[in-house]
Amino acid sequence: MTLDLDTARRLIAGTRSAAHERGLKPLTVVVLDAGGHVVAAEREDGSSAKRFEIAHGKAYGAVSMGLGSRALMDRAEQQPYFIAAVTSAVGGSLVPVPGGVLVRDGDGTLLGAVGVTGDTSDNDEAAAVAGIGAAGLTAQPAA
Amino acid sequence: MTLDLDTARRLIAGTRSAAHERGLKPLTVVVLDAGGHVVAAEREDGSSAKRFEIAHGKAYGAVSMGLGSRALMDRAEQQPYFIAAVTSAVGGSLVPVPGGVLVRDGDGTLLGAVGVTGDTSDNDEAAAVAGIGAAGLTAQPAA
Amino acid sequence: MTLDLDTARRLIAGTRSAAHERGLKPLTVVVLDAGGHVVAAEREDGSSAKRFEIAHGKAYGAVSMGLGSRALMDRAEQQPYFIAAVTSAVGGSLVPVPGGVLVRDGDGTLLGAVGVTGDTSDNDEAAAVAGIGAAGLTAQPAA
Amino acid sequence: MTLDLDTARRLIAGTRSAAHERGLKPLTVVVLDAGGHVVAAEREDGSSAKRFEIAHGKAYGAVSMGLGSRALMDRAEQQPYFIAAVTSAVGGSLVPVPGGVLVRDGDGTLLGAVGVTGDTSDNDEAAAVAGIGAAGLTAQPAA
């Protein structure tokens, strides 16, 4: 595990706090380690039934490809068949819209990713970036 | 179960009654609870073989995302790869055309969704909205 | 559709009525036509989240193989790999325990199947058999 | 959502606290609502890569069938093909060993389930039961 539970909890708390300050809709936040495995997750009251899967897919796509999910959206716009093929190949789902943000430490080492869903994709990403910054770590939302 | 069987039966009866008054083609109606699980379903004579799956997919998409399926159609028009990705992520099928309508009570609490298929998508949705209203509940057909 | 909606509704009502007389736990009842497609379904309050899928699998196995699901249990006891292989082959799930009962008319023509789950498998089957009899049709619970 | 995020966080905190008092190995704890959807999850440092999926499968089986996962183990001992069939039918994984515990309120209403993995199955279950009790709710670990 490259991202410990205390850090994951701080990432979730920071993301949620940033979302509340901005008045966003109820969010679901999932934190994965660099291997793509769940470390922690929280779904706020009012966030719909399958939001865990969507937040997971944003973060999982980011870790799987080593790119923030905004870069995956750009790729999906150009080559939708590529994203469909990778979804099949990776043995899990990736959701190629903004809100899956890579987390790096001060040396640039990849620690994992935060996936957020519930508001617009742009707002989801902004909350994740703010939460990662509040934890003293570096956010990589795109390529 | 957030939507009991008696309510589900009234939703189906009301939807079918509204469809008959409008002279619509034979319909299939599926009612899901807020967790996306089947409470009741009826496929009218002449409604084709896989209509259960289509009605289910409209309602399932609505509950999964917390949006009426008309909003999912709008999203599919703009970002088809997003709907494809979510379909994979949620571990089931969602059908992003009108006719999957969220059901809320007077306080706005989500009870579940009605999915209708058989006529045009617009008519399917109109029947669902009428059936939900006849049951004294609130319909949310879009965002 | 080889089993019309009015008949399906009578099968469900008769099965539920028989279950209530016997004091069974809350049931889920699914009726499929001879092609294995859903005609109607009802999940009683207190019947757990995935009971539709289980009742469906009992009836689907029965229609798929032309045998009541009790016969599929016997086969599973003897050749579990066979049932696993058929599950994969049929493109859907079959649940090989009692409670999936074929429905035939007076001439022996196959109309479809009733699948029941919620109490013991034996009680589930007894309710289905009683419901089919109450509708004036012939139940085939085993081979 | 039948189990809110604050309750889910208390269930996780109580389960982890009970595990620490007993000196258990690092655990993963997943809380699902009554519809089987993730509300919150935490994987402790040292809990292996796929523990989220295992804890999820214990809780998911419990909610799907309306039984604690210890009852599913008993069923798997007697009819392994039944558990295999249900796993296919429900469209997800269920893990039929102790550690998936249903959560009910004082009226007996099902709120969801806690899934725990990391130590022995018996210890996993004991931690979940203690955590549910600490939250003032009722644990149902078996049938």
Side-chain angles (χ1 to χ4, degrees):
Chain A
M1 192 183 290
T2 46
L3 190 156
D4 63 20
L5 177 54
D6 279 349
T7 302
R9 287 166 56 101
R10 280 187 291 129
L11 288 165
I12 291 175
T15 299
R16 291 181 58 198
S17 176
H20 297 172
E21 286 169 14
R22 288 163 170 75
L24 303 191
K25 292 181 183 170
L27 297 185
T28 298
V29 186
V30 174
V31 179
L32 305 183
D33 66 20
H37 305 297
V38 176
V39 184
E42 296 190 358
R43 177 162 63 105
E44 295 185 330
D45 302 352
S47 192
S48 66
K50 287 291 186 180
R51 289 289 172 178
F52 171 82
E53 283 75 8
I54 296 169
H56 182 277
K58 291 185 181 186
Y60 190 70
V63 168
S64 295
M65 300 291 287
L67 297 166
S69 65
R70 180 176 291 276
L72 299 177
M73 180 176 70
D74 294 342
R75 190 72 182 264
E77 298 277 1
Q78 297 158 21
Q79 295 183 297
Y81 55 83
F82 174 75
I83 294 295
V86 172
T87 296
S88 172
V90 301
S93 295
L94 54 86
V95 176
V97 296
V101 181
L102 292 178
V103 181
R104 296 187 184 276
D105 68 11
D107 299 327
T109 301
L110 181 67
L111 301 183
V114 175
V116 178
T117 186
D119 205 285
T120 66
S121 295
D122 286 345
N123 284 339
D124 294 341
E125 182 190 82
V129 168
I132 294 166
L137 296 165
T138 302
Q140 180 188 339
Chain B
M1 194 183 292
T2 46
L3 191 155
D4 63 21
L5 178 54
D6 279 349
T7 302
R9 287 166 57 101
R10 281 188 291 128
L11 288 166
I12 291 175
T15 299
R16 290 182 58 199
S17 176
H20 298 171
E21 287 168 13
R22 288 164 170 76
L24 303 192
K25 293 181 184 170
L27 297 184
T28 297
V29 186
V30 175
V31 179
L32 305 183
D33 66 19
H37 305 297
V38 176
V39 184
E42 295 190 359
R43 176 162 63 103
E44 296 185 329
D45 301 350
S47 191
S48 64
K50 286 288 189 183
R51 289 288 172 178
F52 171 82
E53 283 75 9
I54 296 170
H56 182 277
K58 291 185 182 186
Y60 190 70
V63 168
S64 294
M65 299 290 287
L67 296 167
S69 64
R70 181 176 290 276
L72 298 178
M73 180 176 70
D74 294 342
R75 189 73 182 262
E77 299 276 0
Q78 296 160 21
Q79 295 182 297
Y81 54 83
F82 174 75
I83 295 296
V86 173
T87 296
S88 170
V90 301
S93 295
L94 55 86
V95 176
V97 296
V101 181
L102 292 177
V103 181
R104 295 186 184 275
D105 68 12
D107 298 327
T109 302
L110 182 66
L111 301 183
V114 175
V116 179
T117 184
D119 204 285
T120 67
S121 294
D122 286 345
N123 283 340
D124 294 340
E125 182 190 80
V129 168
I132 295 166
L137 296 166
T138 302
Q140 180 187 339
Chain C
M1 193 184 290
T2 47
L3 192 156
D4 64 19
L5 178 55
D6 278 349
T7 302
R9 286 166 57 102
R10 282 188 291 128
L11 288 166
I12 291 175
T15 299
R16 291 182 57 198
S17 177
H20 297 170
E21 287 169 12
R22 288 163 169 77
L24 303 191
K25 292 181 185 170
L27 297 185
T28 298
V29 187
V30 175
V31 179
L32 305 183
D33 65 20
H37 305 297
V38 176
V39 184
E42 295 190 359
R43 178 162 62 105
E44 295 185 332
D45 302 350
S47 192
S48 65
K50 287 291 186 181
R51 291 288 172 179
F52 170 82
E53 283 76 8
I54 296 170
H56 181 277
K58 291 185 181 187
Y60 190 71
V63 168
S64 296
M65 300 290 287
L67 296 166
S69 64
R70 180 177 291 277
L72 298 178
M73 180 176 69
D74 295 342
R75 190 73 182 263
E77 297 277 1
Q78 296 159 22
Q79 294 182 296
Y81 54 84
F82 174 75
I83 295 296
V86 172
T87 297
S88 171
V90 300
S93 294
L94 53 86
V95 176
V97 297
V101 182
L102 293 177
V103 181
R104 295 187 185 276
D105 67 14
D107 299 326
T109 302
L110 181 66
L111 301 183
V114 175
V116 179
T117 185
D119 204 284
T120 67
S121 295
D122 286 345
N123 284 341
D124 294 341
E125 182 190 81
V129 168
I132 294 166
L137 296 166
T138 302
Q140 180 186 338
Chain D
M1 193 183 292
T2 47
L3 193 156
D4 64 20
L5 178 54
D6 279 349
T7 303
R9 287 166 56 102
R10 281 188 292 128
L11 289 166
I12 291 175
T15 300
R16 291 181 60 198
S17 175
H20 297 171
E21 286 169 13
R22 287 162 169 78
L24 302 191
K25 293 180 185 171
L27 297 184
T28 298
V29 187
V30 175
V31 179
L32 305 183
D33 65 21
H37 305 298
V38 175
V39 184
E42 295 190 0
R43 178 162 60 105
E44 295 184 331
D45 301 351
S47 192
S48 63
K50 286 290 189 181
R51 289 289 172 177
F52 170 82
E53 282 76 10
I54 296 171
H56 182 277
K58 291 184 181 186
Y60 190 70
V63 167
S64 294
M65 299 291 287
L67 297 166
S69 64
R70 178 176 292 277
L72 298 179
M73 180 176 69
D74 294 342
R75 189 73 182 262
E77 299 276 1
Q78 296 160 22
Q79 293 182 297
Y81 55 82
F82 175 74
I83 294 296
V86 173
T87 297
S88 170
V90 302
S93 296
L94 54 86
V95 177
V97 297
V101 182
L102 292 178
V103 180
R104 294 188 186 275
D105 68 12
D107 299 327
T109 301
L110 182 66
L111 301 183
V114 175
V116 179
T117 185
D119 204 284
T120 67
S121 294
D122 286 346
N123 284 340
D124 293 341
E125 183 190 81
V129 169
I132 295 166
L137 296 166
T138 302
Q140 181 187 337

